[in-house]
Every structure is written in structure tokens, then in C-alpha cells.
Amino acid sequence: MMTYIVFILSVIFVVSFVGFSSKPSPIYGGLVLIVSGGVGCGIIMNFGGSFLGLMVFLIYLGGMLVVFGYTTAMATEQYPEVWVSNTTVMGVFLLGLLMEVMLVLYVLKSEEVGVVFKFSGVGDWAIYDTGDSGVFSEGIMGVAALYSYGAWVVIVTGWSLFVGVLVILEVTRGD
Amino acid sequence: MNPLIFTTILMTVLLGTMIVMMSSHWLMIWIGFEMNLLAIIPILMKKYNPRTMEASTKYFLTQATASMLLMMAIIINLMHSGQWTITKVFNPTASIIMTSALAMKLGLTPFHFWVPEVTQGISLTSGLILLTWQKLAPMSILYQISPSINLNILLTMAVLSILVGGWGGLNQTQLRKIMAYSSIAHMGWMTAVLVYNPTLTMLNMLIYIMMTLTMFMLFIHSSSTTTLSLSHTWNKTPLTTTLILITLLSMGGLPPLSGFMPKWMIIQELTKNNSIILPTLMAIMALLNLYFYMRLTYSTSLTMFPSTNNMKMKWQFETKRITLLPPLIVMSSLLLPLTPMLSILD
């Protein structure tokens, strides 16, 4: 089972994506986003990216999704739509599930989980050597590099986020 | 809108395109596209009514889909080449996906459906920015990956765009939709020669931007958004009727005017590469474009369009002063004799 853990996690990942793509009410979309975030974190951790997985949990689930949940709870309606309340939503959900099941059967029959995820060796997760003592993981050294060599990236992304807030305020303010 | 915020957002649009054009890392290019998209939404929504909101939503959805496709192509390229530098894209799958994504951003057929609807729903100035500045960023990426683009896909999209741009514009009386279809056709001409000689793509882009800028400024000057109100310019400012005539004929690609230069060079380059049917078809389909430009000039400059008697003494606000208009008009009509200077380019 352990050799197929990434495959199982990725199947749950796709199923939860189907769950919110079939457009139930946003509060239920947030629910499956939590599941997909947690499972995605598991997938990344299985490839050795422990720092990135923790980032997903802390920042994505613990920061952004919590704020999303609060704003959705403020704007929710009296009878929110679930997957089984509306024929269309249920139809799309079942269709997505069916396609996923067919894909899983195809992958399992061809006896090769590698066809789904061809990873070119361990090169991407190799040790990032800064010349200091010891051995560090890529994730943490990446953050350090972001603030030293990658200053331009910080400026650009910081400005994009700032302008994003300005744009949203302008659009919702109207006249 | 608050002038300070408007300036900030406009500068961010400029910054986004600049980042796309000068970055060497694929992720920065994607960030530049997103910054550009995000910042142009309030510019499209300058007038706050349901039409502009709908147009902005359509623009946002199509461009965001194109950015997602671009990101997927970038990641496939990363998986197969192991690096993030901008070079030609070696993997064919990534190349096709990237070409489709950039075609969606430019408004090439079969992804052209958003261009007339979005251009119609927004004000003339926003439409100007949409049809000229927003084409620069995707075209610069196409230029950079041009050695690896699949010829069949790009040429199919280009020829279909010229056809759709000409054919679709035939039934339009709204000026913004006419300009949108004209943009689709010109993008088709530009991408047709991209694989053969990318310098001509840039030349065509330059002259297209000048001509479209001129047309939009003439429309803004006479505050007209329909053919009917354009046909009243003989009453308001008779000089602009002549200028509209000259610029529209230049857009149609008629010889002594500058609009002929890119078409001539493109046809010459294509025939040098032993494709004869293709430029013949392209030139024939450009006639459709010429037809609706001629219809505009007919109703505007060459005849007095039928109107009621009290429309003949039209009341108007004080004329807007558009500083750049005279040099633009000169450049968009008289540049043809400078064609031999092309030999200094690359």
C-alpha cells in the first residue's frame, strides 16, 4: 500500500477537485478545499518537500481558507446547495467521479503508476548548498534565497498583491 | 476614480507588460501577465454600468484561462528541459499549449469570440488600451518562442483569423465592434509571418498600433461610437472626415499609404518561402476588411448620410484637444516611402 500512497492521495485530490468544481454552495466548496489542501500536502511530503507541505497547511489552509470561510459564512443563503440537492450539481459530480474511476482503472490495468507522474529523479529536491556547515533542505534554503538573490521576485509579487487589493476595492466600490 | 489610484493602476498595467517583455524566467513572465490582467480590470470598468461589468468579466475569464494554459505549458517545459529560461520551447506538447494560450490572449480564431463583445462593452479610451497595449505582451512571447512553434497550427489560426476578422466585421455598424474585428484580422496577418520572419511581425504590430491609435483618437475626438454618429462629423469638424478617410484606407492596406507596407512585406516574405496559395488567400480575404472600411468612409467622408434636418446643426461639447493626433495621422498614412529602411532591421 505504501508504494501506492501517492497514487491514492492523488485520486482523493482529483475527487475533491471534482467536488468543488460541480459548484455546490461556496461553504461546501471550502469544505472540500480543506480536504484537497490536506491531501495535496501529503503528496508533496511524500516527495520530500516537508517545508512546502507545512506551508500549505499553515498559510493556505490556516490563513487564506479561514478568511474565505468567514466571508462565505457572512454571505451565505438560507438553504445552501449541497451535492445532492440539485440535479445538475449531482449530475456533474457523478460524471466527474465516473471519469476519475475510468482513469484509475486505466492506470491500474496498465500496471504502471509512472505513466501518471513521471518524475525526473531526485534532482528537483536535491540539497541546495550555500557553502555553510551541514546539509539543508531545498524548501528552507529557497526562502532564504528568495530574500537575497530573489529580491526582484519579492518586489514584483508584493506589488501584485498590493495592486490586487487596490483593484478589488476599486471594483467593489463602483461609482 | 480617485486620480492617484487611477495613476497607480495604469502604471501597474505598464509595469506588467514591461515585466513580460524583459524577463528571462518563465514564472516572472506569468506573473507579469497576471499583473497586467488584474490591473486592467478597473480601467475597463471606468464607467460603472452593467455593460462594462459584463465586458470586464468576460475579459477576465478568457485571459485567466489563457494564463492557466500558459502555466501548464511552462510546467511541461520545465519537466522536460529542467530549466526556466526563455528559449524556444523544445517539447512539442508544451509548444502547442503555449501557442494556444497566447492565441487566446491575442484574440486569434478560434479564440476570438471575446474580442467584439468586450470591446463593445467598454468606453472608447479603454477599448483603445485593450486593442493596442494589451497585444504587446503576448506578441513579445510569441516572438521569443517563434523558432519552435508548430507551423500548421499557427498558420491555420492566422488564416482563419483573417477570414473571421473580415467576414465578421461585415454586418457591424458599431465602431468599436468594427475595430475589434479589424484587430482580429490584423493579428492574423501578424502571426502568419511569425515563423518565417519575426521582424515583419514586429513591423506589422508597430504600424497596426499607430493606425488603430489614430482611428480611436479620431472617434474620441468626434465622440462617436456608431456609424450614424460618425457620419455627422462633416458638420462638427469637416477636417476629420478627410483624416478618417485617409486612415481607414491605410488600415485597409491600400498602396500609397503606410498600411500597405506590412501587407506587401508579408506577402513577399511568404512567396519567398514558396507558399503561393496562402498569401493569395490572405490578400483576397483582406478585401473583406477593405469593404467595411470603405463603407465607413462612404457614409462619413464621401457622402452626406441621410439624417433628419435638426441633426444637421449638431450641438456638441467643447472639442477635446488630442495632442498626439497630427503626428499619428501623418505616421499612419505617409510612411510607405520609408520601406527601404527596413534593410537596417536585423
Side-chain angles (χ1 to χ4, degrees):
Chain A
M1 211 264 301
M2 205 53 198
T3 52
Y4 288 107
I5 188 72
V6 173
F7 182 62
I8 295 174
L9 287 178
S10 60
V11 168
I12 305 177
F13 192 63
V14 174
V15 166
S16 52
F17 264 63
V18 169
F20 69 72
S21 303
S22 53
K23 288 188 254 307
S25 160
I27 199 73
Y28 291 104
L31 184 66
V32 292
L33 268 179
I34 296 177
V35 172
S36 77
V39 166
C41 164
I43 296 176
I44 300 180
M45 282 197 174
N46 268 296
F47 284 105
S50 47
F51 180 70
L52 274 168
L54 278 175
M55 281 298 111
V56 166
F57 256 108
L58 269 177
I59 310 297
Y60 182 69
L61 294 185
M64 303 200 276
L65 207 61
V66 162
V67 174
F68 172 73
Y70 278 129
T71 50
T72 318
M74 279 199 291
T76 192
E77 54 212 2
Q78 195 183 12
Y79 295 107
E81 275 200 30
V82 205
W83 293 277
V84 297
S85 65
N86 187 0
T87 326
T88 318
V89 175
M90 184 161 73
V92 174
F93 182 59
L94 289 179
L95 180 67
L97 272 184
L98 179 70
M99 288 173 63
E100 175 63 12
V101 164
M102 289 191 344
L103 184 67
V104 166
L105 286 177
Y106 167 71
V107 168
L108 286 179
K109 245 194 221 343
S110 60
E111 283 296 322
E112 198 186 310
V113 186
V115 75
V116 180
F117 207 129
K118 264 196 281 263
F119 217 177
S120 54
V122 83
D124 294 342
W125 300 98
I127 315 298
Y128 183 66
D129 189 8
T130 61
D132 287 353
S133 64
V135 152
F136 306 95
S137 79
E138 158 112 346
I140 300 181
M141 291 323 296
V143 174
L146 181 69
Y147 287 103
S148 61
Y149 302 110
W152 175 240
V153 181
V154 173
I155 295 174
V156 168
T157 45
W159 183 254
S160 306
L161 293 173
F162 174 64
V163 167
V165 173
L166 276 186
V167 161
I168 289 172
L169 286 178
E170 265 312 310
V171 167
T172 49
R173 182 167 64 134
D175 223 343
Chain B
M1 211 192 289
N2 181 2
L4 179 63
I5 302 211
F6 182 66
T7 315
T8 313
I9 289 182
L10 200 59
M11 289 299 123
T12 311
V13 174
L14 298 183
L15 181 65
T17 311
M18 287 289 119
I19 289 179
V20 169
M21 298 206 297
M22 69 179 196
S23 288
S24 55
H25 193 277
W26 276 118
L27 191 64
M28 292 305 290
I29 287 185
W30 183 82
I31 294 179
F33 273 121
E34 294 299 296
M35 193 192 281
N36 193 8
L37 172 63
L38 206 55
I40 203 169
I41 297 294
I43 295 182
L44 296 185
M45 282 183 60
K46 243 193 320 189
K47 289 203 186 66
Y48 194 68
N49 54 43
R51 233 182 343 263
T52 53
M53 289 201 289
E54 184 186 332
S56 311
T57 314
K58 280 183 198 161
Y59 185 67
F60 182 77
L61 285 176
T62 50
Q63 300 284 305
T65 313
S67 289
M68 283 197 285
L69 280 176
L70 183 68
M71 184 49 115
M72 178 149 90
I74 291 173
I75 293 184
I76 295 178
N77 183 32
L78 172 70
M79 266 172 58
H80 285 266
S81 67
Q83 46 88 32
W84 290 91
T85 327
I86 311 291
T87 51
K88 59 184 227 180
V89 175
F90 289 95
N91 185 17
T93 314
S95 172
I96 292 177
I97 296 178
M98 195 173 288
T99 313
S100 317
L102 293 169
M104 274 179 86
K105 282 195 176 287
L106 280 177
L108 289 175
T109 312
F111 309 114
H112 66 279
F113 294 99
W114 60 271
V115 189
E117 298 173 17
V118 173
T119 319
Q120 179 61 26
I122 55 185
S123 64
L124 275 172
T125 323
S126 308
L128 172 65
I129 299 180
L130 184 79
L131 287 182
T132 52
W133 184 261
Q134 295 295 90
K135 310 291 181 194
L136 282 177
M139 198 50 92
S140 76
I141 302 297
L142 273 176
Y143 182 96
Q144 286 172 329
I145 65 171
S146 62
S148 61
I149 298 181
N150 185 349
L151 190 64
N152 299 318
I153 289 187
L154 198 66
L155 279 182
T156 314
M157 287 201 285
V159 169
L160 284 178
S161 300
I162 301 175
L163 182 61
V164 163
W167 209 352
L170 283 181
N171 199 20
Q172 308 297 337
T173 54
Q174 295 283 336
L175 293 177
R176 287 169 288 184
K177 276 204 175 137
I178 287 180
M179 295 310 294
Y181 280 107
S182 133
S183 149
I184 297 174
H186 276 106
M187 290 298 137
W189 275 91
M190 282 182 232
T191 47
V193 80
L194 186 67
V195 189
Y196 297 106
N197 190 353
T199 314
L200 292 179
T201 306
M202 289 299 132
L203 172 74
N204 198 351
M205 171 68 85
L206 187 66
I207 296 191
Y208 162 73
I209 288 182
M210 275 195 293
M211 295 190 297
T212 311
L213 213 56
T214 314
M215 277 319 296
F216 266 101
M217 286 192 173
L218 285 167
F219 294 156
I220 292 172
H221 181 77
S222 52
S223 301
S224 49
T225 53
T226 59
T227 311
L228 184 62
S229 82
L230 192 67
S231 67
H232 292 136
T233 49
W234 66 267
N235 198 4
K236 287 194 270 193
T237 42
L239 183 58
T240 50
T241 52
T242 319
L243 301 173
I244 288 176
L245 168 72
I246 297 178
T247 316
L248 275 174
L249 290 180
S250 182
M251 281 192 90
L254 287 188
L257 307 170
S258 6
F260 181 56
M261 191 193 335
K263 290 197 166 57
W264 173 25
M265 293 286 108
I266 289 176
I267 292 178
Q268 188 173 8
E269 197 64 36
L270 283 172
T271 51
K272 271 192 225 167
N273 280 288
N274 281 328
S275 73
I276 305 192
I277 303 180
L278 181 71
T280 314
L281 273 178
M282 283 162 62
I284 291 177
M285 292 190 288
L287 284 176
L288 293 171
N289 256 325
L290 185 61
Y291 176 72
F292 60 80
Y293 296 143
M294 286 295 304
R295 194 166 53 194
L296 268 184
T297 61
Y298 180 75
S299 68
T300 309
S301 332
L302 300 177
T303 58
M304 276 169 52
F305 207 60
S307 59
T308 54
N309 271 332
N310 54 358
M311 293 288 257
K312 293 191 169 42
M313 297 296 288
K314 203 146 186 231
W315 175 81
Q316 57 160 347
F317 291 108
E318 190 181 298
T319 316
K320 307 183 184 64
R321 177 201 304 205
I322 305 182
T323 322
L324 263 184
L325 196 52
L328 270 179
I329 292 172
V330 169
M331 284 210 291
S332 67
S333 42
L334 295 176
L335 272 186
L336 192 63
L338 289 180
T339 311
M341 279 185 68
L342 283 181
S343 55
I344 65 171
L345 293 170
D346 202 3

